[in-house]
Amino acid sequence: MYNRRKFIKISAAGASLAALSNSAVAKAISSTTDAGFPIVISTWDFGIIANKGAWKVLSTGGRALDAIEAGARIPEEQDISSHTVGRTGLPDRDGHVTLDSCIMDENGNCGSVAAMENIAHPISVARLVMEKTPHVMLVGEGATQFAVEQGMKKEKLLTPESEKLWKEWLKTAKYAPVMNIENGKKPGDKYNHDTIGMLAIDAKGNISGGCTTSGMAFKLHGRVGDSPIIGAGLYVDNEVGGATSTGVGEEVIRNVGSFLVVELMRQGYSPEDACKEAVRRIIKKKPETAKQIQVGFLAINKKGEYGAYAIQSGFSFAVCNAQQQDLLIKGKSFY
């Protein structure tokens, strides 16, 4: 049986998590901190390598939007063991690797792709949708066609390892939408489909965000989660802040989760408290379902204060600013 608890493997282009010193990885730090500008925060452990890519842009005075695209492309490209983003993503029930992504800038412009196949960098296609079309979202074959027209490479994304894991799953497949528990793990945790959501504030104080994923492992063909949906998987308001989500997208969509977090911050909630309230509403709406799944929110406000909250323990997020390059924070949770 495949063991998803092994460390993330990073190619030579990224830094090895195993090489991080104990002091660099924070286990218990207040997650409502004013870190100043510029800053980038990302969901899960591989947020560290994504943040490094974003920081190359932010540290030289670059725009937050450019930092988001540069950072998100790294986990989309890397050979990482989680099989949840980009070219190494696990396929759907029928063996198709379908990718979802969205991006949003400080002016409220946004772009998105969903159920896109054969293109390794959906974050870049989402940006092209935002900048080159009058639309917000392109899906399926149309998204792939557009990407190729814009000069992106069409390639097979199903890797031999992912194909092997899919065929193993097929032997005992018992698919139930949302409640697709793999290897005893809760759907939505970092061993199943850890979406990477990113939020950045540049030196000018402008906020942008992005979200990218291959979605729930072995999902029904055509399933789309919250990640490419503006207001669900991502939302940015440059007057207030930004939020992103990870986990079982169906529950995030039902609560328009990221938009809710931003609106709560507009009302005066701290980022952490806003995330906590969004999680509480998910639990209140479907308490029995919530016990069996994971959903987490990550947010940053206009001051650069950040925070996170999840249903289950185990959620982590990465922070990168001028003071700390490799900070990994353990998120708080209800359970």
Side-chain angles (χ1 to χ4, degrees), residues 197-273:
M198 300 186 71
L199 301 163
I201 305 179
D202 58 33
K204 294 182 179 180
N206 289 322
I207 310 169
S208 291
C211 193
T212 186
T213 187
S214 57
M216 186 178 288
F218 316 129
K219 61 197 173 187
L220 290 175
H221 185 56
R223 180 263 187 186
V224 175
D226 63 311
S227 297
I229 299 177
I230 300 299
L234 176 74
Y235 195 72
V236 171
D237 186 319
N238 206 43
E239 294 181 352
V240 181
T244 187
S245 63
T246 183
V248 175
E250 283 78 359
E251 304 313 312
V252 179
I253 293 170
R254 288 187 179 99
N255 292 273
V256 198
S258 291
F259 179 78
L260 171 61
V261 171
V262 173
E263 286 304 295
L264 289 169
M265 289 194 293
R266 190 191 304 277
Q267 296 172 25
Y269 282 67
S270 70
E272 182 180 293
D273 287 344

Side-chain angles (χ1 to χ4, degrees), residues 7 54 85 92 215 217 254 301 319:
F7 280 105
V85 177
D92 62 23
R254 288 187 179 99
N301 66 17
V319 178

Side-chain angles (χ1 to χ4, degrees), residues 186-199:
K186 295 181 185 299
D189 73 7
K190 66 180 179 179
Y191 306 108
N192 185 329
H193 58 289
D194 43 331
T195 301
I196 183 163
M198 300 186 71
L199 301 163

